[in-house]
């Protein structure tokens, strides 16, 4: 809750403290944080095309972020800005707008920010602004939890929580010690306070401190830099998953070859090209002509009974996809029509209700609904729908059109050939093409070629370790009926049904891991028609309603989670981590295993390919270029390709 001073300075009733100086909050930000970290001077010296990362403790009104963004615009042609901020008590859009109304010079950036400041979820929320040059990762939750989850190193730190006397928990040594994880030698910090507990906490973390004149009525402030070493910074990293720790090699990547031009490969090509990487996209079938070539796809978060990697990842991917597609796609490619997921045998009413409660979601993201049998709303199907969860911003997309738009909007070279082999070449890689034996040389190679990933990886690694299955799915395109205009939401249960899109409805999809016939099957068509006739009999569809059928092949893993990240040597992994979970090895320290430079995979997106692609592309781009990742470390662990090696060898003697 906020209260306001006469000059419109916001005050937190939770902590009894002001959010910024009543004298001039923007000038305070410039003095304490911009000048305190010597940002303008450092940005003049910044290596072009690299990124600069800032961590802030205490997002508040967003004043520090927007001021930093405004100062950055003078340098936007030279490097990317990554801004990570932590906030336990987020303000709403109206409160932020009112608080910042006294700074008209921030109006442009404020408007762009507030247009995307919605659908927030606990944990990490990722935003891109200014044509992809400004990246904001906003963590909603406890500072200590956030510092453990941040994946990446930062160049500067803004310590801007409420005063230590008002909010001592944030400034405790046990909390700030985790700053080591995000620091590299020379990382700077600044803060408005010189309180003894703050000085002691920062000194114990490895920071060298210096007092400087404060802003306005504050006589002094603190600045400094991290003087610790790499081993010290790892002390606060959980020991149980050393294979997932990121190693920052400062390896330069200027060129990348992406094998596979489905929605995942196209999204990654777009993300890398926006970071000034020269991208070559290779696929013999062209852009999104395989599984991504379906006539339409639907997306919503997958809410499990308790928070799991699956639910947490899909929530983050859903929120980012909404932001990205809202400015990128046109109205024929994307629409937030809302999605209603009815109760099924697998997803019971109790499971849905507990999932909503345990994930602490706003009703703007997901809400429990019981549709009245007597509903007069023409968009309702009454008792045919029943009870379930409404995702108000559930959406449909045209994936093939989106993939082409992403590729066409950037300087990406597309080669419609098949890669027959991949080999190391000097410090980089070469891909050999089938038709001409032509070679493509690049710093990095990313395998986005679905269930064929290991066909090319095996000769390089000498061992198969990715359990990717090929799954067949068939869907139907149905014509409109007299009654099919009665609903406007996507309807999900055992199958999904879209509202009318350009005069057609999409009904999907079957799921078959065993019969991989690429041709359409009559029995699948009958199965889908029988489902829609039984579930929604009033819509009146029959065999004559079928306009077309489509077969596609998903790639998925046993845990039904994507594979995303760097590749290691399977033999070396087994040698280093064998028996890692045996009782006798509980106290043993395990090293970080170096990944194979320039080798990455992005695949097995399963039935959530559209939802996973946009955020997944941003995650992988950050890993390739040593930037802070836009999701939690625990989620990176769940996505990591080596998780299958770990499960296989952790208890081997």
């Amino acid at each position: 809750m906020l209260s306001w001073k006469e000059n419109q300075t916001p005050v937190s009733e939770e902590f009894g403290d002001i959010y910024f100086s009543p004298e001039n909050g923007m000038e305070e930000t410039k003095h304490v944080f911009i000048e305190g970290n010597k940002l303008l001077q450092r940005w003049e010296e910044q290596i072009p095309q690299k990124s600069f990362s800032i961590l802030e403790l205490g997002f508040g009104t967003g004043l520090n972020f927007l001021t930093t963004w405004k100062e950055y615009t003078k340098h936007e042609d030279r490097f990317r800005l990554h801004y990570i901020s932590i906030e336990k008590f987020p303000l709403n859009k109206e409160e932020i707008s009112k608080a910042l109304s006294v700074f008209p010079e921030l109006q442009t950036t404020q408007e762009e920010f507030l247009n995307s400041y919605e659908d927030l979820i606990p944990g990490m929320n990722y935003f891109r602004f200014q044509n992809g040059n400004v990246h904001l990762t906003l963590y909603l939750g406890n500072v200590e939890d956030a510092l453990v989850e941040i994946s990446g190193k930062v160049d500067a730190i803004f310590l801007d929580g409420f005063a230590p006397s008002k909010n001592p928990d944030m400034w405790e040594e046990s909390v700030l010690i985790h700053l080591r994880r995000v620091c590299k030698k020379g990382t700077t910090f600044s803060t408005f306070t010189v309180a003894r507990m703050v000085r002691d906490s920062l000194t114990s973390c490895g920071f060298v401190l210096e007092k400087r004149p404060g802003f306005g009525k504050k006589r002094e402030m603190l600045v400094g830099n991290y003087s610790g070493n790499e081993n010290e910074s790892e002390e606060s990293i959980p020991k149980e998953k050393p294979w997932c720790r990121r190693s920052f090699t400062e390896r330069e990547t200027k060129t990348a070859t992406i094998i596979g031009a489905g929605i995942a490969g196209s999204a990654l090509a777009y993300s890398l090209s926006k970071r000034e990487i020269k991208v070559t996209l290779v696929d013999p079938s062209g852009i999104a002509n395989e599984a991504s070539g379906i006539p339409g796809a639907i997306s919503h978060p997958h809410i499990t009974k308790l928070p799991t990697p699956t639910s947490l990842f899909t929530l983050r991917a859903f929120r980012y996809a909404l932001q990205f597609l809202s400015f990128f796609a046109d109205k024929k490619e994307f629409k937030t029509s809302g999605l209603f997921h009815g109760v099924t045998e697998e997803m019971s009413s109790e499971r849905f209700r507990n999932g909503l409660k345990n994930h602490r979601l706003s009703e703007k993201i997901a809400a429990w609904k019981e549709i009245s049998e007597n509903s007069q709303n023409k968009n309702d199907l009454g008792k045919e729908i029943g009870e379930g969860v409404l995702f108000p911003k559930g959406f449909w997309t045209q994936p093939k059109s989106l993939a082409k738009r992403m590729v066409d909007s950037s300087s990406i070279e597309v080669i419609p050939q098949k890669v027959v082999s991949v080999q190391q070449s000097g410090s980089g890689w070469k891909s050999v093409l089938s038709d001409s034996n032509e070679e493509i040389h690049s710093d990095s190679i990313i395998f986005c070629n679905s269930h064929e990933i290991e066909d090319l990886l095996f000769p390089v690694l000498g061992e198969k370790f990715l359990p990717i299955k090929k799954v067949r799915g068939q869907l139907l395109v149905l014509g409109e009926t007299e009654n099919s205009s009665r609903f406007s939401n996507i309807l999900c249960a055992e199958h999904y049904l879209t509202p009318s899109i350009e005069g057609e409805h999409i009904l999907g999809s079957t799921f078959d891991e065993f019969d991989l016939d690429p041709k359409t099957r009559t029995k699948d068509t009958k199965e889908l028609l029988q489902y829609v006739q039984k579930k929604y009999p009033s819509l009146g569809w029959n065999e004559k309603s079928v306009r077309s059928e489509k077969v596609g092949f998903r790639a998925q893993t046993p845990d039904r989670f994507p594979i995303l990240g760097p590749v290691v040597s399977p033999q070396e992994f087994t040698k280093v981590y064998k028996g890692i979970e045996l009782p006798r090895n509980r106290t043993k320290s395990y090293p970080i295993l170096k990944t194979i430079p320039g080798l990455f995979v992005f695949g097995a997106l399963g039935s959530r390919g559209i939802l996973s692609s946009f955020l997944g592309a941003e995650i992988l781009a950050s890993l390739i270029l040593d930037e802070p990742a836009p999701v939690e470390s625990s989620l990176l662990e769940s996505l990591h390709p080596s998780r299958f090696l770990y499960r296989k060898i952790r208890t081997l003697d």
Side-chain angles (χ1 to χ4, degrees):
M1 294 291 292
L2 290 184
S3 58
W4 304 85
K5 289 183 174 292
E6 292 181 0
N7 62 356
Q8 292 298 302
T9 300
V11 180
S12 168
E13 294 186 358
E14 178 82 23
F15 294 98
D17 200 2
I18 56 176
Y19 276 89
F20 48 74
S21 170
E23 298 171 65
N24 190 316
M26 188 173 174
E27 290 304 315
E28 179 188 35
T29 292
K30 290 179 180 179
H31 178 85
V32 176
F33 299 112
I34 306 294
E35 295 174 16
N37 285 279
K38 298 182 179 179
L39 294 189
L40 300 184
Q41 175 185 335
R42 293 165 71 184
W43 289 349
E44 288 291 341
E45 302 167 354
Q46 176 75 7
I47 299 174
Q49 309 311 331
K50 289 286 188 178
S51 63
F52 190 94
S53 303
I54 297 170
L55 169 64
E56 174 187 49
L57 275 60
F59 186 75
T61 63
L63 177 59
N64 291 340
F65 168 62
L66 294 174
T67 303
T68 304
W69 177 359
K70 184 175 185 299
E71 294 296 321
Y72 161 77
T73 56
K74 305 167 188 174
H75 306 270
E76 64 176 311
D77 293 335
R78 302 188 67 246
F79 66 94
R80 297 175 300 282
L81 176 65
H82 284 264
Y83 197 99
I84 308 162
S85 191
I86 304 167
E87 179 58 58
K88 187 175 182 179
F89 302 100
L91 303 182
N92 61 42
K93 185 180 294 191
E94 292 71 26
E95 290 170 330
I96 291 177
S97 180
K98 181 177 179 180
L100 298 179
S101 63
V102 295
F103 307 111
E105 54 268 68
L106 295 178
Q107 183 176 355
T108 301
T109 52
Q110 178 187 333
E111 286 181 359
E112 185 174 351
F113 166 65
L114 289 178
N115 284 339
S116 297
Y117 186 75
E118 56 189 4
D119 306 317
L120 302 183
I121 55 176
M124 286 192 176
N125 297 263
Y126 176 62
F127 307 80
R128 287 169 72 252
F129 301 111
Q130 201 158 317
N131 198 30
N133 286 324
V134 176
H135 302 248
L136 169 66
T137 303
L138 178 58
Y139 186 101
L140 302 185
N142 292 317
V143 170
E144 188 169 6
D145 294 338
L147 292 178
V148 171
E149 289 283 15
I150 292 170
S151 174
K153 302 292 184 182
V154 301
D155 299 286
I157 300 172
F158 296 176
L159 296 176
D160 195 28
F162 292 113
S165 60
K166 307 284 187 179
N167 183 26
D169 291 348
M170 196 202 88
W171 304 92
E172 293 282 355
E173 179 183 338
S174 61
V175 173
L176 296 186
I177 195 71
H178 295 295
L179 287 174
R180 289 179 175 182
R181 293 190 66 251
V182 300
C183 287
K184 50 193 174 185
K185 193 174 180 65
T187 294
T188 62
F189 85 92
S190 61
T191 183
F192 61 89
T193 180
V194 293
R196 179 61 181 269
M197 73 174 297
V198 176
R199 286 183 283 135
D200 290 346
S201 294
L202 291 172
T203 299
S204 67
C205 292
F207 287 94
V208 176
L209 313 183
E210 176 188 345
K211 290 183 180 179
R212 287 189 186 169
F215 177 79
K217 296 179 181 179
K218 290 185 178 291
R219 189 161 57 91
E220 294 176 310
M221 57 178 270
L222 276 181
V223 301
N225 63 80
Y226 183 70
S227 61
N229 57 49
E230 188 69 19
N231 291 331
E232 279 185 327
S233 68
E234 290 171 15
E235 288 179 10
S236 59
I237 299 176
K239 300 294 184 182
E240 65 271 18
K241 301 291 188 297
W243 50 268
C244 199
R245 298 181 202 164
R246 291 178 66 180
S247 53
F248 299 91
T249 61
E250 300 293 328
R251 183 177 182 272
E252 189 170 32
T253 297
K254 292 184 176 180
T255 57
T257 298
I258 298 174
I259 302 174
I263 190 69
S266 299
L268 179 60
Y270 178 84
S271 291
L272 287 175
S273 67
K274 288 298 180 182
R275 289 165 167 82
E276 306 298 329
I277 305 301
K278 183 182 177 183
V279 178
T280 303
L281 189 56
V282 188
D283 193 314
S285 64
I287 306 299
N289 281 321
E290 296 296 333
S292 298
I294 60 176
I298 59 104
S299 295
H300 65 94
H302 182 74
I303 306 299
T304 51
K305 184 175 181 180
L306 296 170
T308 64
T310 297
S311 61
L312 296 177
F313 178 70
T314 59
L315 279 166
R316 281 144 185 72
F318 180 73
R319 201 213 63 78
Y320 176 67
L322 285 172
Q323 188 212 348
F324 174 73
L325 293 173
S326 293
F327 83 84
F328 180 80
D330 69 25
K331 62 182 181 180
K332 291 185 178 181
E333 296 169 332
F334 160 74
K335 184 177 180 180
T336 54
S337 59
L339 183 149
F340 182 84
H341 200 305
V343 169
T344 65
E345 287 187 13
E346 183 180 350
M347 299 296 293
S348 67
S349 170
E350 179 185 9
R351 183 173 178 178
F352 266 138
R353 288 173 180 267
N354 286 333
L356 294 177
K357 177 182 177 182
N358 293 327
H359 285 81
R360 297 179 289 130
L361 299 176
S362 159
E363 289 195 353
K364 293 181 179 180
I365 298 174
W368 179 255
K369 295 291 181 182
E370 295 182 3
I371 307 300
S372 169
E373 293 189 16
N374 299 317
S375 173
Q376 300 301 309
N377 188 334
K378 72 172 185 177
N379 289 328
D380 292 337
L381 296 178
K383 63 182 180 180
E384 295 179 18
I385 294 180
E387 58 181 6
V389 175
L390 175 66
F391 299 93
K393 293 189 177 180
F395 61 86
W396 57 258
T397 53
Q398 302 285 8
K400 183 180 179 70
S401 180
L402 285 173
K404 286 186 173 181
R405 181 182 291 270
M406 287 188 288
V407 172
D408 292 344
S409 65
S410 304
S411 53
I412 297 167
E413 181 183 8
V414 179
I415 299 179
Q417 292 191 47
K418 184 178 179 64
V419 174
V420 293
S421 70
V422 169
Q423 304 164 26
Q424 283 190 302
S425 177
S427 60
W429 295 87
K430 69 177 179 180
S431 306
V432 181
L433 302 179
S434 58
D435 293 352
S436 59
N437 282 329
E438 180 186 348
E439 296 178 354
I440 306 171
H441 292 260
S442 57
D443 299 318
S444 293
I445 286 185
I446 307 96
F447 297 92
C448 298
N449 52 328
S450 190
H451 42 78
E452 296 180 347
I453 288 176
E454 285 214 309
D455 293 347
L456 291 174
L457 260 184
F458 174 69
V460 178
L461 303 178
E463 181 178 329
K464 291 189 175 183
F465 71 98
L466 297 175
I468 301 175
K469 288 185 177 182
K470 192 175 183 179
V471 179
R472 181 187 183 279
Q474 182 170 321
L475 58 77
L476 306 181
V477 176
L478 303 173
E480 287 183 330
T481 68
E482 183 179 348
N483 291 330
S484 66
S485 61
R486 291 172 57 202
F487 69 100
S488 58
N489 297 144
I490 300 162
L491 302 178
C492 280
E494 290 81 5
H495 297 286
Y496 69 86
L497 175 66
T498 70
S500 177
I501 303 173
E502 298 290 310
E504 297 179 330
H505 300 263
I506 299 169
L507 173 63
S509 163
T510 60
F511 185 95
D512 196 330
E513 299 179 66
F514 304 105
D515 187 343
L516 302 180
D517 187 352
K519 298 179 181 178
T520 59
R521 298 189 305 216
T522 302
K523 75 178 187 69
D524 286 10
T525 301
K526 288 182 177 180
E527 175 189 327
L528 290 169
L529 278 175
Q530 287 171 0
Y531 165 80
V532 79
Q533 289 166 350
K534 182 178 179 180
K535 186 75 174 177
Y536 314 111
S538 66
L539 296 179
W541 277 307
N542 55 39
E543 291 82 357
K544 294 181 180 179
S545 305
V546 179
R547 292 190 175 179
S548 63
E549 302 153 293
K550 172 74 176 179
V551 173
F553 292 94
R554 310 179 185 98
Q556 73 174 35
T557 59
D559 59 13
R560 299 199 179 186
F561 213 55
I563 299 173
L564 191 162
V567 175
V568 301
S569 162
Q571 298 85 358
E572 191 66 20
F573 189 98
T574 301
K575 179 181 176 181
V576 172
Y577 298 129
K578 184 179 178 181
I580 190 172
E581 285 194 359
L582 292 175
R584 67 169 181 267
N585 294 331
R586 285 175 182 167
T587 59
K588 184 178 177 181
S589 179
Y590 289 88
I592 299 176
L593 184 62
K594 300 296 184 183
T595 59
I596 299 174
L599 209 58
F600 301 86
V601 295
F602 182 19
L605 275 59
S607 60
R608 304 186 188 100
I610 301 300
L611 193 63
S612 303
S613 290
F614 307 113
L615 182 61
E618 287 294 294
I619 294 170
L620 195 50
S622 72
L623 299 180
I624 293 171
L625 299 177
D626 283 341
E627 298 175 349
V631 295
E632 292 85 341
S633 290
S634 56
L635 283 181
L636 289 180
E637 180 182 301
S638 298
L639 293 163
H640 204 290
S642 295
R643 69 186 188 267
F644 303 106
L645 286 169
Y646 172 70
R647 293 166 189 171
K648 180 180 178 181
I649 59 92
R650 60 189 180 183
T651 57
L652 291 178
D653 195 345

